[in-house]
Amino acid sequence: PLKFNLKKKDTEVIIYHTHTTETYSKDESLDYEASGEFRTLDKNANVVRVGERLKECLENANVKVYHDMEYYDYPSYNLSYSKAGKAILNLTKKYTGAEIVLDIHRDALGTGNQIYRPIINVDGEDTAQILLVVGTNQGGLNHPNWRENLKFALKLQQKANEKYPGFCRYVSLRKERFNQQVSRGAIIVEMGATGNTMNEVLRATELFSEILLEVAE
């Protein structure tokens, strides 16, 4: 069992974006001024919009959420994890009831000039696939929570496979800790990839919120 659940009292979920400017493929519903390759400062077109949709879904279930929309990868991409880490440490001190800390990203898939679009079909609609990333202490940094983070990710993966087979691509276990030492429920969620459209990712976000609520309640 998890060592936490959603009591729906204080703020219990923090959403943020280490790579805030990440975005998706343009289509008739998504256009933006690029700040880099598949990157934009437009918060209505990058992963901030995905975080906002996730917040809305959770709040509709009476879960209190704090969504940090600060840019951590602009203007310096290389300092993003350092900058985000300081901010998230302060946020977990402020919102002491927040066990679930979600760093929402966009994956980059492709070879050469080809980009990949990981999707499944749910109820007749194309929906982006997700990937979960869990850090460890293998890199030498203190991370007492990593097994709890892994447990959380595996439960999400299991529930996703039960409800929507193929929705969760896999859980990636890494040697870096990715600032996940702040909580027992801290993970990276890669919502779709460069080849996906925003609409496909927003549908994935709704499914993920449903899965998250079932696992954490």
Side-chain angles (χ1 to χ4, degrees):
L2 296 175
K3 293 183 179 179
F4 62 88
N5 60 7
L6 292 171
K7 301 178 182 65
K8 299 183 180 179
K9 293 180 181 178
D10 301 321
T11 298
E12 293 184 280
V13 178
I14 294 173
I15 298 170
Y16 73 107
H17 312 275
T18 298
H19 296 155
T20 323
T21 62
E22 290 178 332
T23 188
Y24 301 93
S25 290
K26 295 182 180 182
D27 65 358
E28 66 276 0
S29 65
L30 180 67
D31 193 17
Y32 53 83
E33 181 179 345
S35 62
E37 189 174 8
F38 289 101
R39 296 184 181 278
T40 181
L41 294 170
D42 183 352
K43 291 182 178 178
N44 195 47
N46 59 31
V47 289
V48 172
R49 182 174 175 185
V50 181
E52 274 295 280
R53 184 64 188 128
L54 180 56
K55 179 185 177 184
E56 291 170 5
C57 292
L58 295 176
E59 287 181 336
N60 287 340
N62 298 315
V63 175
K64 294 183 180 179
V65 180
Y66 179 81
H67 184 198
D68 178 17
M69 296 186 283
E70 290 296 320
Y71 291 109
Y72 295 116
D73 64 342
Y74 186 87
S76 173
Y77 181 83
N78 291 336
L79 295 177
S80 53
Y81 275 101
S82 175
K83 290 167 61 179
K86 294 174 183 177
I88 297 313
L89 183 60
N90 288 332
L91 284 174
T92 53
K93 289 178 178 177
K94 180 178 180 180
Y95 301 107
T96 56
E99 292 279 12
I100 298 176
V101 181
L102 303 173
D103 188 2
I104 305 297
H105 287 242
R106 178 266 301 141
D107 202 2
L109 292 175
T111 56
N113 293 325
Q114 287 187 317
I115 58 171
Y116 298 152
R117 175 177 165 243
I119 60 169
I120 62 168
N121 190 278
V122 178
D123 297 331
E125 293 188 290
D126 287 338
T127 302
Q129 291 174 298
I130 65 169
L131 183 151
L132 306 177
V133 181
V134 178
T136 68
N137 59 2
Q138 187 182 355
L141 296 176
N142 184 46
H143 189 0
N145 296 316
W146 78 264
R147 290 178 177 83
E148 293 301 317
N149 295 161
L150 178 59
K151 183 196 301 182
F152 180 44
L154 291 174
K155 285 181 176 290
L156 290 169
Q157 180 193 42
Q158 182 181 40
K159 181 61 67 174
N161 287 339
E162 290 173 2
K163 295 178 70 68
Y164 308 108
F167 177 51
C168 182
R169 289 162 52 206
Y170 56 90
V171 175
S172 176
L173 191 63
R174 305 279 293 276
K175 67 179 182 180
E176 302 86 357
R177 70 178 181 180
F178 299 119
N179 297 317
Q180 293 174 4
Q181 76 281 2
V182 298
S183 172
R184 296 176 293 187
I187 58 173
I188 287 175
V189 185
E190 301 273 5
M191 290 285 194
T194 43
N196 289 114
T197 66
M198 179 62 78
N199 285 338
E200 290 167 352
V201 174
L202 294 178
R203 284 194 284 272
T205 304
E206 293 167 3
L207 298 187
F208 177 74
S209 68
E210 176 188 325
I211 291 163
L212 175 64
L213 288 167
E214 290 192 29
V215 167
E217 285 189 321

